Amino acid sequence: MRFTRTKGLRGEVTIPGDKSISHRSVMFGSIASSTTEIHHYLQGADCLSTISCFRKMGIHIENKGDTVLVHGNGLKGLKRPDTILDCGNSGTTTRLICGILAAQDFDAVLTGDDSIKKRPMKRIIEPLTLMGARIQSVGDNHRAPLQITGSHLHGIHYTSKVASAQVKSAILLAGLYADGETRVTEPYVSRNHSEILLRHFGADVYTEDTTAVIRPASRLEGQKIKVPGDISSAAYFICAGLMVPDSEIMIRNVGINPTRDGILKVAKAMGADLTLLNEQSGSGEPVADILVRSSSLRGTVIEGPMIPTLIDELPMIAAMACAADGETVIRDASELKVKESNRLEVMVRCLSSMGADVTETEDGMIIRGGKPLRGAVIDSRLDHRIAMTFAVAGLCADGETQILGAECVNISYPEFYKDLAKLTQAPGIL
Ligand code: S3P
């Protein structure tokens, strides 16, 4: 895909379903005792991997496009899969399923693509093992493939070194099956979709400050769920609207859960003209429309408890900081190194190749904004967030930007280029 400078993004876009909530709705629906009806399910490759894994474990799932019906079979109603469970590119599928499989009456093997096989799994193997789980890394390297043998689990109080919703959720899911209360304390609060959704399904789960607590369950009830639009996908339009001159975009149906809305706070701190409209709450998850207008931006500092609330948006925010006046400092973001790619290294290299003034630090980066960007060839490394970030950066750069492996947006936003093109009046996307 090729992109060139444009101006005047206009119109509206309805954001596809939240990836984190879509995964969880199928997982919790599969172990509930009745049917779960999911609307606005994200049809991205990651969420299809989750459906495929639960089908392999005997769950009848009807995917009718926007609506998905999951005919749950109860907490212990999964069947031993005949084949390896392939989680594709999805860290959420891999890590959360481990929490469920740890307590079943069978063994199973989980694997994924080359990126998944490089991602750290010790972070879930360690706490689940403390609960009594038997999880073996087949290559003995704390990476997938993972062999999981169902076991009797105990409640624990685990203090995690990383603020990770995937770690927290794997432990909470195992906690549904444990013989006592399970607590997870994180350094900062990570996204809380599991806690909200599990409570809807009838689980006894609550939070105290940075600790999530769950008690064993005897049954979960199927639910009707309307998945909000994914703020991580909305991020590309938010930043495009702010960066491209003479733009005004209405972004519809965006989840604005406070554990996910860091991008809105950072954009405001940078001087963004954005307005929330039609705020509502559905299934405990707040949603709103966001009106964005081109703005002159200034640098900011992003660190500490803010980081988990915008972790997936940091590549886009870093690119936006190149268009801001002054310095933007990102700290406490080492987790970027273990995403679908090493997003710290990739961002610094690709932004530099476009002429930006960026320095990588131990746990983040420093961006000195104001230098005009010029087009470049960007290797996405098949990381969907890198591809979408540089599509937007390409709309603000002199010359042509070419994205290699652009089709990887299929992971979280299959219609991304089409939706972006609808807003573009001048060429923009070639
Ligand atoms: C996710 C949590 C985050 C995020 C990922 C989705 C989730 O990962 O980066 O895209 O659905 O729980 P970590 O929990 O590893 O931070």
Side-chain angles (χ1 to χ4, degrees):
M1 292 285 286
R2 291 162 198 271
F3 301 84
T4 187
R5 187 184 282 289
T6 189
K7 62 180 170 113
L9 297 179
R10 297 275 155 158
E12 59 175 70
V13 54
T14 299
I15 298 298
D18 186 278
K19 181 155 77 72
S20 296
I21 299 174
S22 294
H23 282 301
R24 285 159 172 81
S25 59
V26 162
M27 291 182 186
F28 305 170
S30 295
I31 55 171
S33 295
S34 44
T35 297
T36 289
E37 185 179 319
I38 310 164
H39 295 273
H40 205 50
Y41 188 81
L42 174 62
Q43 298 287 334
D46 270 11
C47 295
L48 297 180
S49 293
T50 292
I51 290 183
S52 147
C53 287
F54 281 91
R55 280 182 175 153
K56 282 188 180 167
M57 292 190 281
I59 303 298
H60 177 38
I61 302 176
E62 296 173 74
N63 187 355
K64 302 174 172 180
D66 200 49
T67 304
V68 173
L69 294 179
V70 184
H71 301 284
N73 214 12
L75 282 161
K76 284 289 187 97
L78 301 175
K79 296 195 176 58
R80 182 178 192 276
D82 294 335
T83 53
I84 290 178
L85 297 174
D86 185 355
C87 303
N89 190 246
S90 175
T92 306
T93 311
T94 312
R95 295 190 176 120
L96 270 61
I97 286 186
C98 284
I100 295 174
L101 287 180
Q104 302 304 315
D105 299 324
F106 54 79
D107 63 313
V109 178
L110 282 178
T111 193
D113 66 9
D114 289 347
S115 156
I116 274 294
K117 287 184 198 146
K118 287 190 199 125
R119 297 185 67 183
M121 293 296 155
K122 191 174 177 192
R123 52 183 58 202
I124 50 133
I125 296 174
E126 190 176 271
L128 293 175
T129 303
L130 287 171
M131 295 177 80
R134 283 179 290 162
I135 305 181
Q136 219 191 334
S137 157
V138 173
D140 209 15
N141 57 358
H142 302 296
R143 308 271 191 266
L146 300 173
Q147 159 117 36
I148 302 154
T149 308
S151 312
H152 178 82
L153 302 181
H154 315 289
I156 55 167
H157 183 172
Y158 188 70
T159 301
S160 174
K161 287 199 254 332
V162 284
S164 159
Q166 292 179 356
V167 171
K168 174 174 64 177
S169 303
I171 300 170
L172 292 178
L173 284 167
L176 285 172
Y177 298 88
D179 58 13
E181 185 178 271
T182 298
R183 294 177 161 255
V184 191
T185 300
E186 320 183 79
Y188 304 123
V189 178
S190 64
R191 65 191 65 191
N192 63 358
H193 305 303
S194 293
E195 295 88 309
I196 291 172
L197 203 55
L198 279 170
R199 205 172 304 129
H200 271 273
F201 275 81
D204 184 358
V205 53
Y206 62 95
T207 48
E208 287 171 351
D209 195 19
T210 64
T211 301
V213 186
I214 195 160
R215 301 211 176 94
S218 51
R219 156 186 186 102
L220 299 180
E221 282 311 330
Q223 295 296 311
K224 192 168 173 175
I225 299 162
K226 184 163 186 290
V227 180
D230 196 326
I231 192 166
S232 300
S233 300
Y236 305 101
F237 297 102
I238 294 172
C239 295
L242 296 174
M243 292 163 75
V244 173
D246 193 27
S247 296
E248 181 172 306
I249 311 175
M250 178 68 90
I251 309 167
R252 298 271 184 213
N253 182 39
V254 184
I256 51 162
N257 177 318
T259 63
R260 294 284 299 282
D261 71 351
I263 184 163
L264 302 180
K265 294 184 175 125
V266 162
K268 281 273 181 202
M270 295 176 82
D273 178 355
L274 56 85
T275 314
L276 297 193
L277 300 157
N278 302 322
E279 286 188 56
Q280 297 169 37
S281 172
S283 320
E285 292 280 356
V287 290
D289 297 334
I290 305 177
L291 178 65
V292 191
R293 295 194 186 94
S294 321
S295 305
S296 66
L297 302 169
R298 54 182 175 269
T300 189
V301 177
I302 308 168
E303 61 185 351
M306 181 71 93
I307 295 294
T309 72
L310 45 63
I311 187 74
D312 291 340
E313 292 68 80
L314 280 170
M316 187 64 253
I317 291 171
M320 180 166 73
C322 297
D325 276 340
E327 197 171 86
T328 293
V329 181
I330 301 172
R331 293 191 195 104
D332 306 319
S334 302
E335 277 294 296
L336 287 181
K337 296 180 190 170
V338 291
K339 296 295 179 188
E340 286 83 330
S341 67
N342 177 343
R343 289 183 180 157
L344 266 190
E345 186 249 318
V346 174
M347 282 308 299
V348 171
R349 211 165 34 77
C350 295
L351 285 175
S352 303
S353 74
M354 292 183 80
D357 184 353
V358 196
T359 313
E360 186 174 345
T361 61
E362 205 186 315
D363 63 351
M365 58 184 117
I366 300 170
I367 304 133
R368 286 160 290 268
K371 275 186 83 182
L373 295 181
R374 54 169 192 268
V377 177
I378 301 293
D379 182 352
S380 68
R381 308 270 191 104
L382 301 183
D383 181 335
H384 53 133
R385 305 225 178 269
I386 299 297
M388 290 188 273
T389 293
F390 284 94
V392 173
L395 299 181
C396 308
D398 291 329
E400 191 177 286
T401 298
Q402 185 186 358
I403 298 181
L404 307 179
E407 69 286 352
C408 65
V409 302
N410 196 34
I411 292 293
S412 64
Y413 198 158
E415 304 288 306
F416 175 70
Y417 300 116
K418 269 194 219 149
D419 284 354
L420 190 59
K422 275 191 241 153
L423 304 174
T424 318
Q425 304 165 71
I429 303 179
L430 301 174

